[in-house]
Amino acid sequence: MSDDAPQIGWSRDEMARRVALDIPSGSYVNLGIGIPELVAKFVPEGRTLIYHTENGLLGMGPSPKPEAADPELINAGKRQVTALPGAAYFHHADSFAMIRGGHLDLCVLGAMQVARSGDLANWSTGEPDAIPAVGGAMDLVAGVKSVYVITQHCTKTGEPKLVDRCTYPLTGRSVVNRVYTELAVIDITSKGFELVELCPGVEFEYVRERTGAPLLRR
Amino acid sequence: MSDDAPQIGWSRDEMARRVALDIPSGSYVNLGIGIPELVAKFVPEGRTLIYHTENGLLGMGPSPKPEAADPELINAGKRQVTALPGAAYFHHADSFAMIRGGHLDLCVLGAMQVARSGDLANWSTGEPDAIPAVGGAMDLVAGVKSVYVITQHCTKTGEPKLVDRCTYPLTGRSVVNRVYTELAVIDITSKGFELVELCPGVEFEYVRERTGAPLLRR
Amino acid sequence: MIDKRVQGPSEAVADIHDGATVMIGGFGEAGSPIELIHALIDRGSKGLTVISNNTGSGQVGLAALLKAERVAKVICSFPRTANSTVFPDLYRRGKVELELVPQGTLAERIRAGGAGIPAFYTPAAVGTPLAEGKESRTFDGKEYLLERWLRADFALIKGRSADTHGNVVYHKTARNFGPIMAMAARVAIVQVRSVVQPGAIDPEVVVTPGIFVDRVVEVREPRHESELVAAGATYP
Amino acid sequence: MIDKRVQGPSEAVADIHDGATVMIGGFGEAGSPIELIHALIDRGSKGLTVISNNTGSGQVGLAALLKAERVAKVICSFPRTANSTVFPDLYRRGKVELELVPQGTLAERIRAGGAGIPAFYTPAAVGTPLAEGKESRTFDGKEYLLERWLRADFALIKGRSADTHGNVVYHKTARNFGPIMAMAARVAIVQVRSVVQPGAIDPEVVVTPGIFVDRVVEVREPRHESELVAAGATYP
């Protein structure tokens, strides 16, 4: 879906902007591949986030100008990036010590499904001929202090992605803290999905109908 | 005992020289505190050993000249040392990864007792009012490829230090490969103590009488 | 005199035997020791177990080693990449076995191998299909999986510079798995752009101390995988 | 703007509460953060658990903290040193508890705490009195002990230089436990001779990345324990 297409709710950029609003200055953040990467573009003026990429860089900056491009300075999505002043390089065991040891404040990930328990499925459809590939997702959700998900509310065929129980293989159990969709911001609490905020112009009932488990008002 | 005192067998320097003879060029070596440290003085011309000190330096050199002394460049015995060209500093977990991971070729340690099984006791007399202190000895004997012991053959009161079973608390079980005393060089094999070499002028019987377990000729 | 230099990539990999377990550094193309991998293809060793984060792209480097059907098993976290068709094809045809490991667990298993830690507990993958068949245990009310170390016969690694003692420094995010693979392999082979004399690298900035490195090979102008792929290169 | 500087040692340790677990860097005097320890003595916190390789010498630094009877328990590998009388005296009088840990196990337990590894197996101490009460297990025919991670409320560490983001480099063998203690403490406090701006430390040579560091204090001319001891100094 192009960002320009008419749609109900926030655009992808607006979703990313909404996530960025919630991240305190000084946070150490890991942004997953894809939509989560957009978050970095919308950090409000005056806030500094420090980006971690699990392939060994803290203090990651934006894409390089062509003349500064280096095929060996890349992010976890294997795109070329830069290192900001105050950056540090380290090896993979140290990088995942940061993740597993609870040193990162936040990671923002995409999702196939999120259950009301906070279970996350985002690595495999479980189809028999799929090439399984997990990367660092299971380590991130197991170790990072807060896990935010940014995702369309439903699949392309209209199925809810916020569900009672995930049917896809899990990435982690009870790991998601908050979900940002084009329709709403929703927390995972001990009671399940709890609405934090509706996209302006979107009705609660509209979101509830498209959510595969009870959606509570706060 | 002073090195100048008349004695039977090798002096401490000669024992250290005898150990040094057996270490191939290119070996990575950790020398324990005390007599083992002397080994470095007697490495034959043309051989290069690389010394590891568990407090975070590979490529340790001799004591500094007074003008180059640095209280924060020390060895495991907390004496000031130097770093040779090709040296590297690292933190304690990496240092013991070298030890535990089997990357060091050899360590040379002192001993209170060595059993015919290769058990080593060198950290505690087990007396109730002793302040227990173990340092890195248990890690060294558990991880280094070869463990050599350099020790007087008997205690000051004439008790054998090579014994059937250690009575002092163990540092490690079945860990010693070879023992150098002022009287002989003795291997630990599956059969127990096996004589490798007698100090010139010392009789086999003399050594056997002073050894607390069977001493085999090869 | 300690001098770990060897003549070139062919000499460096000359004893990598059939059935060997080989760790190969790199995350995507960053840190991929292409010249060493190509020498290993030339060497012809078969039935290899390869431990590497990815499976290469295009038909050069790691992907070329796979395409030549020299690899019986891959232990990795992410066998799909842009321009990666070789592995998926072999995998679907049942020509290569895959052990999929979460990336942090892969890194920690390798580090454990190098550090003499035979097993450890990790929270990653608890409750997921990758926990199947694994022991789990609760510490302080939280569940963890038991994971075993990984060790290898050989490691192929790309550094920026090394001295003749084998002390290595790396280049930016090409560091990734290099330092821990050097620790975990019986024979660690490092290609670098320049080999220097002992003392030329400040002991404070050494990343991989020489004790972990067995062979150093100078490859002055290493190729980048993405450039080779863009040019449609294949190997051999 | 990220700026982890605090005014001085007193401010740096102001929230170290009674009963806190405090990791203190250093191996002998190398890396001992004397000025931070003295500030902690001034602070007056009691009932501390101290994790440190040694127990100090003379009557300054760590030994002075012990002498002031602020420490309920010490976790260390080697509580004896030349000129070390304070700990032995307290220990014999039953005034301080001791958990003795082999040095490599101590280092690995701290690193595990920082890396989120709740437990691991090690060969060190198998068959010795220090194995008593510990679980053991055999892997590949060899016996290992299960060891738990160590974590702390605070770490007091001495570096050479740091930037305002908390990236730290160390001085020679004063590095020792600093990098792993920074990882394992909830609040890591580092004293350095100079604080510099981000960018002044090459990202390739950073030893402790800023994510592990909470507070940076400039102590331009730190004292050496051996010099203080030789001069007969006491603290306070």
Side-chain angles (χ1 to χ4, degrees), chain C residues 5 159-164 167-169 190-197 200-201 216-222:
Chain C
R5 277 178 292 188
R160 184 178 80 225
S161 182
D163 67 21
T164 51
N167 293 298
V168 183
V169 292
V190 184
Q191 69 166 72
V192 291
R193 289 188 217 167
S194 67
V195 179
V196 297
Q197 288 305 306
I201 302 176
V216 169
V217 197
E218 195 168 82
V219 176
R220 285 191 197 166
E221 298 193 1

Side-chain angles (χ1 to χ4, degrees), chain C residues 108 111 116-121 123 135 137 139-140 144 146 148-149 160 170-172 175 204-205, chain D residues 108 111 116-123 135 137 139-140 144 146 148-149 160 170-172 175 204-205:
Chain C
E108 191 65 13
R111 192 255 172 202
I117 302 294
F120 60 90
Y121 289 90
E135 262 186 67
R137 180 161 172 169
F139 294 97
D140 310 327
Y144 297 88
L146 182 69
R148 290 299 312 277
W149 69 16
R160 184 178 80 225
Y170 295 85
H171 178 69
K172 300 181 177 176
R175 185 183 306 195
E204 297 279 13
V205 312
Chain D
E108 191 66 13
R111 191 256 172 201
I117 302 293
F120 60 89
Y121 289 91
T122 176
E135 261 186 66
R137 180 162 171 168
F139 294 97
D140 311 326
Y144 298 88
L146 182 68
R148 291 299 313 277
W149 69 16
R160 185 177 80 224
Y170 297 85
H171 177 67
K172 301 183 178 177
R175 186 183 304 194
E204 297 279 13
V205 312

Side-chain angles (χ1 to χ4, degrees), chain B residues 79-92:
Chain B
R79 290 197 304 114
Q80 293 183 16
V81 294
T82 47
L84 298 175
Y89 297 109
F90 34 83
H91 64 56
H92 247 80

